[in-house]
Amino acid sequence: MAEPSPAHLRRDAYIYVRQSTLAQTIRNTESLARQYDLAGRARALGWAEHQVVVVDDDLGRSGASTQGRKGFSDLVADVGLGKAGIVLSLECSRLARNNSDWYQLLDLCALTDTLIADADGVYHPGSYNDRLVLGLKGTLSEFLCRIRHKNSYADFSVMPIMRRRRAAGRAGGRERSA
């Protein structure tokens, strides 16, 4: 895990806040609050309050592509310009749900010495070990996104517990082995 250096702390900390649908922004207020609370984590890592930039232009937009995601595009541009010392998100999947967008951000972060942080830790995309972890997180995010867009959460192949409950309902309330 990486630690912020004085060079990182001279630049801004970017907090990326996103939820996929407008309904989520209304119903999942705890998740939204946790994302905004990342500003406190940035301050705990050493950034001053005036250095914390909250990017929340993409609320209600899917991370499946960059189309229509002005906040993500602006974030990538600022990273490329060397303005960011760290990019924080609740989980890496908040940033991008496809590998082309994810690796573009990772490459820019590695080139500009910008850290990435989520709930699991602080990573330096220029470090092979950290990049490996971030790459796995990005690949899993894309995989899960594709499953979600192909199937709904109510699809029994995605949510096996639902298959067991449905089968139990047909068996007169007794749960059968699936």
Side-chain angles (χ1 to χ4, degrees):
M1 295 287 170
E3 293 284 328
S5 69
H8 295 122
L9 295 172
R10 282 192 289 275
R11 294 178 275 153
D12 290 336
Y14 284 72
I15 312 298
Y16 186 73
V17 177
R18 185 185 66 75
Q19 287 184 307
S20 298
T21 67
L22 289 175
Q24 286 179 347
T25 63
I26 295 167
R27 286 192 294 250
N28 301 346
T29 55
E30 182 180 332
S31 170
L32 194 57
R34 288 178 56 216
Q35 291 182 64
Y36 281 112
D37 285 345
L38 289 170
R41 179 153 183 229
R43 289 190 301 274
L45 287 168
W47 275 269
E49 190 165 344
H50 73 276
Q51 291 180 286
V52 176
V53 178
V54 176
V55 179
D56 59 3
D57 299 329
D58 297 338
L59 286 172
R61 301 197 185 278
S62 170
S65 83
T66 57
Q67 186 174 356
R69 289 178 52 208
K70 180 184 180 326
F72 182 77
S73 297
D74 291 348
L75 171 69
V76 170
D78 284 355
V79 167
L81 292 170
K83 294 180 179 181
I86 191 168
V87 175
L88 295 101
S89 64
L90 197 55
E91 57 187 53
C92 291
S93 65
R94 297 287 101 209
L95 292 162
R97 297 263 191 201
N98 71 62
N99 279 336
S100 62
D101 298 336
W102 179 238
Y103 279 103
Q104 177 188 17
L105 179 62
L106 288 186
D107 288 343
L108 283 173
C109 286
L111 288 170
T112 60
D113 188 31
T114 301
L115 303 174
I116 293 180
D118 65 9
D120 296 326
V122 178
Y123 307 94
H124 192 301
S127 159
Y128 292 113
N129 287 333
D130 288 358
R131 190 171 177 97
L132 175 65
V133 172
L134 290 168
L136 289 171
K137 286 180 175 236
T139 299
L140 287 172
S141 176
E142 181 179 59
F143 173 75
L144 293 173
C145 179
R146 288 177 187 239
I147 287 175
R148 287 182 191 132
H149 286 284
K150 181 179 174 191
N151 303 311
S152 76
Y153 281 115
D155 187 330
F156 303 120
S157 66
V158 176
M159 299 296 288
I161 189 78
M162 297 295 289
R163 181 175 44 234
R164 287 195 300 272
R165 287 184 184 151
R166 183 175 178 202
R170 284 188 296 210
R174 294 185 327 268
E175 190 163 321
R176 304 187 301 191
S177 310

